[in-house]
Amino acid sequence: ATLNPEGSGVSLGKVYFALGQVVITLAVAALPTALLGVLLYRYLSRFTQQRWQRIIVVLIYGLLTPAFTYANALYGHQLSAALLFGGFYLVSTPNDGRLNPLRLWLAGLLLAYSVVSEYPAALIAGIIGLYTVYRLFKQGLSGKLIWVALGGAPVLLGWMAYNQAVFGGPLSLGYGYSELWVEEHSVGFMSLTLPHWKAAWGITFSPYRGLFYYSPLLLFAIPGFGQWWSRRVFRADFWAALASVVAVFLFNASSAMWWGGFAVGPRYMLLMLPFMVLALTFPLLKWFTGSWFRLAFALAGFWSLTATWGLTLAGQAYPSDALRNPLLDYALPNWMAGEIARNFGTIAGFGGSASLLFLLGGMAMIAFIWLILSNRTRHHIPTTLTIDVSLEN
């Protein structure tokens, strides 16, 4: 709308405002998502030392799920997801097997900040909190829980002070004063009731907001959790990851506004995606040598790329929530008309699909550099698949 020929035109103030939005989005969405990918890659070394398998899981998360969409948008979901997984990573992967005060303090800080960024993050933060309690009691270090509290307390106190100043009470939430979707927010507790079938179908398989419709590769995480359990490794991590996925699904399925307004896929589910993709590792370990699996994996990957990128890069905004099939009713017409989201290629003067050549070229360059660096260190990579069971038996 800023560049609408029938509007008020381009001004220096508008340009500065747009650049400010780009920089902020880079800081609070894009970079946290990239760092989350690094943590995923490092965490997955517990399951396998094969780099290509870990890279596949990370690329699926970053490029073939709605995480790709919201890593490029000024929303708080990806920031909270990164903070949540960062807290989990700190507690689950100490180098010496024992949790030190600094790790616990930082974990408390990250978990608390994830909640004040996105309130539904409290579900997963609570699960990770219980996971932390289990790890500390198992090691006979229950007294160190104080460090988690010391990390989270300043954040929560600052949040309460903000609420007091803006909304008149330390626990008053902004949703209670929203002028958008007032009817939905007035249902139950801030739109939450009980899980219902319409929402459950809508956020899983429907063309409207279905997670598995836009990213069918994530379906392999379902048997992946079963294989994780059967391998009898990192059982506490298994329960924390599975509980995080189930908790967020039930939350989203209980909302009177489960579709999330103008959106690409089920945006409320983004918080649990890092924990869901952990389970993708196990089908890769067990099945990837089978031709049927490779074919199914390739087909699911092709559709995930087509659907996720097709809708993310179409037009200059997210599709209206009035469109029941955004891929056909919004993405396809925009692509056919050459209406592609503005990007660096657009700035360089390329229009339509041609503008994406800069993005694809940059990704190809990164892949090429990674292959060169990987070849230089190949002699350090084990030649067999391994499962690390040193911390839990």
Side-chain angles (χ1 to χ4, degrees):
T2 301
L3 303 179
N4 188 340
E6 300 177 0
S8 58
V10 178
S11 65
L12 190 60
K14 289 183 179 180
V15 172
Y16 282 141
F17 185 77
L19 289 175
Q21 289 180 309
V22 171
V23 172
I24 293 172
T25 302
L26 178 69
V28 303
L31 290 178
T33 303
L35 292 172
L36 172 53
V38 174
L39 295 182
L40 278 170
Y41 179 81
R42 292 175 62 88
Y43 178 90
L44 291 174
S45 65
R46 309 178 84 197
F47 299 153
T48 176
Q49 293 299 315
Q50 291 286 355
R51 292 188 176 184
W52 67 267
Q53 292 172 326
R54 292 148 62 191
I55 282 289
I56 287 176
V57 174
V58 173
L59 292 182
I60 288 173
Y61 171 74
L63 300 179
L64 302 181
T65 74
F68 171 75
T69 303
Y70 293 93
N72 294 281
L74 188 51
Y75 282 74
H77 305 303
Q78 285 303 111
L79 174 62
S80 282
L83 293 168
L84 287 168
F85 194 81
F88 174 73
Y89 179 86
L90 287 168
V91 176
S92 64
T93 58
N95 293 330
D96 58 358
R98 296 181 71 81
L99 293 165
N100 59 55
L102 179 60
R103 274 181 172 258
L104 292 170
W105 177 85
L106 187 56
L109 177 71
L110 297 182
L111 294 177
Y113 206 92
S114 73
V115 176
V116 302
S117 300
E118 288 289 333
Y119 294 146
L123 296 169
I124 298 180
I127 291 168
I128 298 174
L130 292 176
Y131 170 80
T132 304
V133 170
Y134 167 78
R135 291 294 301 269
L136 288 173
F137 269 84
K138 188 176 180 181
Q139 296 179 11
L141 302 173
S142 57
K144 289 189 175 181
L145 279 172
I146 186 64
W147 291 104
V148 180
L150 289 174
V155 177
L156 295 178
L157 290 173
W159 169 72
M160 294 171 69
Y162 172 86
N163 287 338
Q164 179 67 45
V166 177
F167 302 118
L171 299 180
S172 297
L173 305 182
Y175 282 108
Y177 303 90
S178 174
E179 296 184 0
L180 301 175
W181 292 287
V182 176
E183 181 179 348
E184 286 80 5
H185 286 150
S186 63
V187 175
F189 175 73
M190 301 298 176
S191 84
L192 296 177
T193 55
L194 293 174
H196 52 283
W197 170 251
K198 182 179 180 181
W201 170 259
I203 61 178
T204 50
F205 292 100
S206 78
Y208 184 45
R209 292 289 187 269
L211 180 65
F212 300 126
Y213 178 84
Y214 288 103
S215 188
L217 274 173
L218 293 173
L219 284 169
F220 291 103
I222 298 175
F225 275 112
Q227 292 170 17
W228 187 350
W229 176 260
S230 66
R231 287 179 180 269
R232 300 178 181 276
V233 293
F234 305 110
R235 282 291 178 84
D237 294 39
F238 165 86
W239 284 115
L242 181 61
S244 297
V245 172
V246 173
V248 174
F249 169 77
L250 293 176
F251 163 82
N252 203 165
S254 302
S255 174
M257 194 185 162
W258 53 269
W259 62 91
F262 290 25
V264 174
R267 63 185 179 91
Y268 299 135
M269 300 270 275
L270 290 167
L271 299 175
M272 63 79 168
L273 280 186
F275 301 92
M276 189 177 195
V277 298
L278 293 179
L280 287 177
T281 313
F282 295 92
L284 288 176
L285 290 171
K286 186 175 182 180
W287 293 343
F288 206 77
T289 54
S291 57
W292 70 270
F293 176 80
R294 290 187 178 186
L295 177 60
F297 197 85
L299 291 175
F302 175 76
W303 179 255
S304 298
L305 176 66
T306 302
T308 301
W309 282 55
L311 193 50
T312 300
L313 300 177
Q316 308 303 332
Y318 289 159
S320 166
D321 56 359
L323 301 175
R324 307 312 297 178
N325 192 330
L327 200 58
L328 294 181
D329 299 335
Y330 182 82
L332 185 59
N334 275 287
W335 277 88
M336 293 180 67
E339 275 292 319
I340 307 301
R342 287 187 288 272
N343 56 82
F344 284 112
T346 310
I347 297 173
F350 291 84
S353 302
S355 65
L356 299 177
L357 292 175
F358 279 76
L359 172 63
L360 298 177
M363 293 174 64
M365 184 179 298
I366 292 171
F368 179 71
I369 293 172
W370 181 82
L371 286 173
I372 292 176
L373 296 176
S374 179
N375 287 333
R376 289 181 178 179
T377 58
R378 180 170 291 178
H379 61 281
H380 294 301
I381 304 175
T383 57
T384 58
L385 301 180
T386 60
I387 294 290
D388 182 1
V389 294
S390 59
L391 295 183
E392 291 194 34
N393 242 323

